[in-house]
């Protein structure tokens, strides 16, 4: 059994991006600029956004963080998004989820300029991804693809079972694993809360990608020997014996599943670190795209 070390791969990617940014500086070019909007003071969201700011510093990106109160109106948030859409200095930005109840999340995500949507959530980018066109792939699925590629895990002709159908992870993964190319070319089954006899499905899978937010959902007896397991889940489970009063658990019963798997992502340290790195990679792609467009405009 091989651990898919997301922390190591994530650091490798950051080093590669930092080297690219150094070359940009040497050529006298503008470096990528990633911005984030965060509404309210959700602890997990703040931690995540701060990790993005630190990651930007590490690779040499510029970064901006816009904090808005939990009471912000939908109109005020949309105005801020429009401001960032028009700011040529910013290459990509994200709106950190979740948003408070007075705000329509889909309306907000739709307001982000697709050319700056480095989270890959805009319908334009999602549609391009589904059509195999060049676009921003959502950061977490992008990270999973990168892990599969860097560990050279065969996907062609394999049966991939995706558990969970969110538009952030499950649905995009089901499309990406079935696309032409590598990683891809697998036969995909998308399962969810209404799937009957789920063990019957998972026990036939060569690759399982799970994102349901239920700790220890996938048990050892639910997989076949040598399956590849990608655990996207991350939940704080209260534990009075733990120093912080909780432990972090994934959607996979790691102790038992790891005994049968050929490859498995740990939680933490698997898919999580990859998400931030791929967000940086999308921002670098956005910068390159904006530079190319500016050069084409000059030639005209």
């Amino acid at each position: 059994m091989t651990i898919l070390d997301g922390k190591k791969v994530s650091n490798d990617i950051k080093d590669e991006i930092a080297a690219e940014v150094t070359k940009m500086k040497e050529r006298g070019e503008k470096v990528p600029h990633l911005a984030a909007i965060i509404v309210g003071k959700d602890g997990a969201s703040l931690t995540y956004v701060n990790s993005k700011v630190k990651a930007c510093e590490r690779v040499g990106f510029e970064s901006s963080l816009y904090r808005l109160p939990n009471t912000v109106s939908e109109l005020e948030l949309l105005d801020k998004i429009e401001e960032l859409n028009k700011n040529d200095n910013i290459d990509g930005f994200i709106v950190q989820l979740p948003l408070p109840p007075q705000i329509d999340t889909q309306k907000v995500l739709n307001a982000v300029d697709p050319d700056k949507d480095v989270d890959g959530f805009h319908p334009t980018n999602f549609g391009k991804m589904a059509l195999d066109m060049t676009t921003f792939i959502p950061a977490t699925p992008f990270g999973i693809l990168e892990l599969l590629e860097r560990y050279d895990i065969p996907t062609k002709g394999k049966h991939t079972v995706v558990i969970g159908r969110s538009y952030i992870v499950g649905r995009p993964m089901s499309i990406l694993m079935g696309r032409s190319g590598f990683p891809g070319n697998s036969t995909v089954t998308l399962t969810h809360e209404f799937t009957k006899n789920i063990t019957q499905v998972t026990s036939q899978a060569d690759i399982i990608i799970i994102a349901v937010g239920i700790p220890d959902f996938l048990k050892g007896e639910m997989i076949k020997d040598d399956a590849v397991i990608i655990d996207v889940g991350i939940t704080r489970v209260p534990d009075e014996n733990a120093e912080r009063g909780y432990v972090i658990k994934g959607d996979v019963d790691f102790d038992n599943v790891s005994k049968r798997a050929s490859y498995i992502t740990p939680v933490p340290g698997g898919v999580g670190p990859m998400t931030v790195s791929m967000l940086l990679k999308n921002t670098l792609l956005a910068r390159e795209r904006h530079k190319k467009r500016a050069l084409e405009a000059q030639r005209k």
Side-chain angles (χ1 to χ4, degrees):
M1 188 273 294
T2 302
I3 295 283
L4 296 171
D5 189 344
K7 202 168 183 181
K8 181 195 176 297
V9 175
S10 168
N11 284 327
D12 290 345
I13 292 165
K14 285 175 187 166
D15 289 343
E16 291 161 14
I17 293 171
E20 195 59 44
V21 171
T22 300
K23 288 178 193 169
M24 294 170 98
K25 286 177 178 174
E26 287 169 354
R27 294 193 296 261
E29 295 176 10
K30 175 191 175 305
V31 300
H33 186 159
L34 174 64
I37 298 173
I38 184 165
V39 179
K41 295 181 178 178
D42 178 73
S45 293
L46 283 167
T47 302
Y48 189 45
V49 166
N50 286 333
S51 73
K52 289 169 184 170
V53 172
K54 284 179 188 170
C56 284
E57 285 172 14
R58 174 175 164 180
V59 300
F61 282 12
E62 289 181 32
S63 69
S64 301
L65 180 56
Y66 300 90
R67 297 171 183 264
L68 301 176
N70 207 48
T71 53
V72 71
S73 71
E74 186 174 274
L75 189 60
E76 287 170 318
L77 178 55
L78 291 170
D79 283 345
K80 176 56 73 176
I81 289 169
E82 188 56 25
E83 182 187 311
L84 300 192
N85 282 340
K86 290 177 178 174
N87 186 339
D88 290 337
N89 188 43
I90 291 171
D91 295 294
F93 69 95
I94 63 153
V95 181
Q96 184 62 41
L97 305 179
L99 293 169
Q102 74 271 19
I103 293 170
D104 182 337
T105 298
Q106 200 55 54
K107 189 187 282 189
V108 164
L109 296 178
N110 289 357
V112 176
D113 181 346
D115 271 346
K116 295 189 177 188
D117 167 43
V118 287
D119 253 339
F121 292 161
H122 194 282
T124 297
N125 288 327
F126 200 97
K128 283 182 174 180
M129 178 197 68
L131 292 169
D132 252 352
M133 296 167 70
T134 302
T135 189
F136 297 120
I137 297 173
T140 300
F142 198 5
I144 293 169
L145 294 179
E146 197 77 13
L147 272 178
L148 292 170
E149 188 173 339
R150 294 199 180 216
Y151 278 88
D152 202 22
I153 294 170
T155 59
K156 185 178 180 180
K158 301 294 183 181
H159 182 196
T160 297
V161 170
V162 179
I163 308 175
R165 55 180 172 177
S166 74
Y167 65 84
I168 295 172
V169 180
R171 271 186 256 183
M173 280 316 308
S174 69
I175 294 166
L176 293 163
M177 291 302 288
R179 69 181 180 169
S180 179
F182 174 71
N185 280 324
S186 68
T187 301
V188 183
T189 303
L190 179 61
T191 67
H192 46 77
E193 61 189 304
F194 299 114
T195 301
K196 292 179 180 176
N197 305 320
I198 194 164
T199 299
Q200 199 175 327
V201 181
T202 56
S203 61
Q204 297 172 27
D206 301 302
I207 302 167
I208 296 175
I209 300 165
I210 179 167
V212 291
I214 303 171
D216 294 339
F217 178 88
L218 190 72
K219 307 291 184 187
E221 61 270 19
M222 294 172 71
I223 74 161
K224 71 176 184 180
D225 289 341
D226 295 329
V228 176
I229 310 296
I230 307 290
D231 187 355
V232 187
I234 184 160
T235 306
R236 290 183 180 185
V237 178
D239 185 342
E240 52 193 41
N241 297 320
E243 192 179 325
R244 294 180 177 178
Y246 64 86
V247 290
I248 299 288
K249 278 191 171 277
D251 291 348
V252 174
D253 177 4
F254 185 88
D255 291 344
N256 292 309
V257 171
S258 60
K259 291 171 186 169
R260 301 186 69 184
S262 57
Y263 293 88
I264 190 168
T265 56
V267 176
V271 174
M274 295 296 297
T275 300
V276 175
S277 292
M278 303 322 284
L279 187 69
L280 296 178
K281 198 160 184 175
N282 273 343
T283 306
L284 181 63
L285 291 170
R287 174 73 228 124
E288 288 168 353
R289 200 182 287 181
H290 296 154
K291 173 190 159 189
K292 187 179 175 185
R293 197 166 293 162
L295 287 170
E296 285 170 356
Q298 282 175 10
R299 290 192 193 107
K300 290 174 186 175

